[in-house]
Amino acid sequence: MKIVMLGPPGAGKGTQADALSEKMEILHISTGDMFRRAVKDQTAMGLEAKKYMDSGALVPDEVTIGIVRERLAMRDCAKGFILDGFPRTAYQAEALDGILGELEGAMDAVIYISVDTETLIGRLSGRRICKNCSALYHVSYNPPKKEGVCDKCGGELYQRDDDQEETVRRRLEVYNSQTLPLVGYYRDKGLLTEIHGNQRREKVTEDILAALGRSG
């Protein structure tokens, strides 16, 4: 089964993709994983992407799409996969359709995890990360035993710049302008299922599996 995960930052796409990958025994492929593998394997597109990454520039669509094409053509994708972080724009979505056509396949389902804006801001702006071991905490949902101190290693906890409220609101604005239109794109194709993400993690997983015709 070939699945795309859609949703705003903080919706839990990666968490749910991991859960589905384990239960359905198919790959969870994130954009970051694809880039790291392409660079490590020194593929043509990986080497091209590294030039931009090393200079701190954004990797152009054409290179990103090329990396996706390389990754999905690999043998371990034949059984199916869950794409997380791609596509992000209508242009990328159309390119993905073309890639799957080249591979004589098609997307089976698109799962859209919807969460209201204020909940997303609370989730993201409350995150804290250990400077030493990168353990993840949340001031409300998963606080450390001692404020500002990692339970695991005693390291200092900090808030990433990306997780500050002003930055989170800007990230959501970019998502709403660039990626949210994909909801309509895939709904028109009859592929989209909307799942409410304002629920406990396990219930979201159950709802996704039910929508895919699978049991937990």
Side-chain angles (χ1 to χ4, degrees):
M1 182 170 266
K2 301 175 182 65
I3 302 167
V4 163
M5 298 289 290
L6 288 182
K13 298 185 298 298
T15 298
Q16 293 302 326
D18 279 341
L20 294 177
S21 173
E22 181 178 348
K23 291 179 179 296
M24 299 176 68
E25 298 183 342
I26 57 176
L27 291 174
H28 169 199
I29 306 175
S30 72
T31 305
D33 291 341
M34 278 190 284
F35 273 78
R36 284 187 288 272
R37 178 162 182 168
V39 171
K40 180 182 177 182
D41 291 349
Q42 296 189 322
T43 68
M45 286 294 127
L47 293 173
E48 187 67 21
K50 191 173 186 297
K51 296 177 186 177
Y52 294 94
M53 294 161 68
D54 287 348
S55 66
L58 290 174
V59 179
D61 262 348
E62 288 71 19
V63 179
T64 299
I65 290 165
I67 286 175
V68 173
R69 179 180 286 106
E70 287 180 341
R71 183 67 186 92
L72 298 188
M74 293 180 183
R75 186 176 301 175
D76 60 354
C77 290
K79 186 178 176 181
F81 51 79
I82 304 161
L83 271 179
D84 166 21
F86 185 93
R88 292 180 184 270
T89 64
Y91 179 77
Q92 291 183 355
E94 291 170 359
L96 178 59
D97 290 342
I99 292 169
L100 293 175
E102 293 169 10
L103 298 173
E104 299 183 351
M107 193 58 57
D108 294 299
V110 176
I111 301 298
Y112 167 48
I113 303 176
S114 62
V115 182
D116 68 270
T117 299
E118 293 309 310
T119 297
L120 292 169
I121 291 171
R123 286 182 182 180
L124 293 171
S125 63
R127 292 199 298 199
R128 299 293 184 270
I129 300 174
C130 177
K131 286 185 175 180
N132 289 338
C133 70
S134 300
L136 185 63
Y137 297 87
H138 192 281
V139 295
S140 300
Y141 310 132
N142 180 34
K145 294 175 182 176
K146 182 178 179 181
E147 185 176 352
V149 179
C150 177
D151 295 345
K152 297 180 180 179
C153 73
E156 179 186 352
L157 303 185
Y158 76 104
Q159 182 184 44
R160 297 188 315 171
D161 290 342
D162 273 0
D163 290 337
Q164 294 180 9
E165 182 172 342
E166 184 178 344
T167 307
V168 169
R169 289 188 182 276
R170 286 200 298 269
R171 289 170 64 193
L172 292 174
E173 287 174 5
V174 171
Y175 167 81
N176 287 336
S177 64
Q178 293 187 0
T179 307
L180 189 58
L182 294 184
V183 171
Y185 177 87
Y186 284 118
R187 181 175 284 131
D188 290 345
K189 288 178 171 289
L191 293 171
L192 189 99
T193 296
E194 180 173 353
I195 303 293
H196 295 293
N198 287 37
Q199 310 177 84
R200 59 184 178 84
R201 185 180 304 173
E202 295 79 10
K203 181 63 167 66
V204 175
T205 305
E206 289 173 11
D207 287 354
I208 295 173
L209 288 169
L212 296 173
R214 304 293 183 99
S215 63

